[in-house]
Amino acid sequence: MPLGLRKKKNKSKESSNLVENEEVSGHAGVGKSAVNGGGLPAPPASMRPKLVFHTQLAHGSPTGRIEGFTNVKELYSKIAEAFNLSPDEILFCTLNTHKIDMDKLLGGQIGLEDFIFAHIKGLKKEVEVYKAEEALGLTITDNGAGYAFIKRIKEGSVVDGVKVICVGDHIECINGKNIVGMRHYEVARMLKELPKDQSFTIKLLEPMKAFEMLEPRSRGGGGGGKSSGDGKIGTGRETLRLRSKGPATVEEMPSEFEERAVKKVDDLLESYMGIRDTELAATMVEVGRDKKNPDEFAMALDEALGDFAFPDEFVFDVWGAIGDAKQGRF
């Protein structure tokens, strides 16, 4: 299919999963969005990896053990069960740090020795913002289960001047329109289409914080400092890959080519669409790995990710980025 012809397709007894005698707060030195797509049934239990992960609530909790999940929604359900919560209370998860560190955000892969910290709903905020420029300076991502949130705030931007808006805030409403359930690219488009030189109202919900976590807000480059050993609890060489379709699989750690390509494609997603999504970027790299030309790549993208209807220029750039990564040119 030529690129120019591409179109869009149309609370109870405490859970036994808590680990006894491991009562440690979320800031202790302990120790990567996917949902079943297209109405596909969940894989049978026999196909699910029998792996056990440790988890805490980021603001502080005992340690829990979870297993038997194959996508993000199931992961959140397992965490919620361990801590006697509703899955809807979980905004997002980070790996190996309790901090709101967007570099450690759980995406499509979890290292087999990674420690999972769940960030749950905290303070609600309603803010009026004057859109003085076309670009607000926000990068949006989502948790794979219906919640879009702020991943990055550009320094010197419109939103950077509104100090109550922070990285990690979940966006609930824009001008009274509930956006829960929308994907990140839909929310980014709504924000971009808001008229310039007018005010709009945005309702936000920030992650719950422990007292010790209260610190100046981050623009998304990290968690505000490094703990000893970067909070790592291991150096496992395998990961659990969560897929939007089909069962989760245990794979080797990403190769140097894959890491380079995924990072570049994620940067292109931010540049073209105002979103960051490493799981989506990894899927695009996987789709384009063995394709011989841009048109073949475009056709494969339509089949795998047709709902996105990527711009032709973006597809060319992604194709080029994958090729550059193969040749080690960046």
Side-chain angles (χ1 to χ4, degrees), residues 52-53 96 110-115 232-238:
V52 177
F53 294 87
N96 305 316
I110 307 173
L112 298 191
E113 296 185 20
D114 282 342
F115 198 106
K232 297 291 185 181
I233 67 165
T235 56
R237 299 305 303 165
E238 292 182 314

Side-chain angles (χ1 to χ4, degrees), residues 223-262:
K226 293 184 179 180
S227 59
S228 176
D230 293 330
K232 297 291 185 181
I233 67 165
T235 56
R237 299 305 303 165
E238 292 182 314
T239 66
L240 180 66
R241 175 76 184 273
L242 305 178
R243 299 178 181 276
S244 57
K245 296 182 181 181
T249 55
V250 175
E251 301 179 352
E252 291 296 316
M253 290 288 285
S255 66
E256 186 178 353
F257 151 71
E258 290 168 329
E259 289 183 342
R260 289 196 305 262
V262 169

Side-chain angles (χ1 to χ4, degrees), residues 110-264:
I110 307 173
L112 298 191
E113 296 185 20
D114 282 342
F115 198 106
I116 303 171
F117 288 88
H119 299 255
I120 68 172
K121 293 179 178 179
L123 180 68
K124 289 191 175 186
K125 303 180 284 192
E126 184 170 341
V127 188
E128 186 173 286
V129 180
Y130 181 73
K131 191 177 182 182
E133 302 175 13
E134 290 291 346
L136 290 168
L138 289 177
T139 297
I140 308 299
T141 191
D142 63 39
N143 69 354
Y147 291 163
F149 57 94
I150 298 170
K151 186 168 186 180
R152 184 173 296 172
I153 298 173
K154 184 179 180 180
E155 186 174 3
S157 65
V158 171
V159 170
D160 190 34
V162 186
K163 299 306 180 183
V164 72
I165 301 178
C166 301
V167 167
D169 285 355
H170 160 48
I171 304 174
E172 287 191 308
C173 293
I174 301 173
N175 281 340
K177 179 176 176 59
N178 189 322
I179 64 162
V180 174
M182 288 187 178
R183 291 303 312 274
H184 44 27
Y185 63 92
E186 296 174 301
V187 177
R189 185 168 58 237
M190 280 186 64
L191 291 168
K192 183 178 181 180
E193 292 175 351
L194 291 170
K196 184 184 173 185
D197 297 325
Q198 292 187 26
S199 295
F200 67 93
T201 301
I202 186 168
K203 290 185 179 180
L204 305 164
L205 204 160
E206 70 178 33
M208 185 177 293
K209 300 180 179 71
F211 179 77
E212 294 84 353
M213 293 173 63
L214 299 178
E215 56 188 29
R217 73 171 185 174
S218 168
R219 292 190 178 92
K226 293 184 179 180
S227 59
S228 176
D230 293 330
K232 297 291 185 181
I233 67 165
T235 56
R237 299 305 303 165
E238 292 182 314
T239 66
L240 180 66
R241 175 76 184 273
L242 305 178
R243 299 178 181 276
S244 57
K245 296 182 181 181
T249 55
V250 175
E251 301 179 352
E252 291 296 316
M253 290 288 285
S255 66
E256 186 178 353
F257 151 71
E258 290 168 329
E259 289 183 342
R260 289 196 305 262
V262 169
K263 183 181 184 304
K264 182 61 177 177

Side-chain angles (χ1 to χ4, degrees), residues 1 5-10 185 245 298-310:
M1 179 187 299
L5 299 180
R6 296 176 65 250
K7 295 182 180 178
K8 180 177 178 180
K9 298 180 181 180
N10 286 345
Y185 63 92
K245 296 182 181 181
M299 292 176 65
L301 278 184
D302 275 341
E303 175 142 356
L305 300 166
D307 288 344
F308 283 87
F310 298 109

Side-chain angles (χ1 to χ4, degrees), residues 278-292:
T278 54
E279 194 270 340
L280 175 60
T283 299
M284 298 181 77
V285 171
E286 188 175 5
V287 168
R289 180 193 297 271
D290 59 349
K291 300 304 178 288
K292 298 179 176 59

Side-chain angles (χ1 to χ4, degrees), residues 23-31 56 58 60-61 96-98 115 117 227 231:
E23 179 113 7
V24 281
S25 66
H27 51 82
V30 292
Q56 287 182 352
S61 76
N96 305 316
T97 180
H98 69 286
F115 198 106
F117 288 88
S227 59

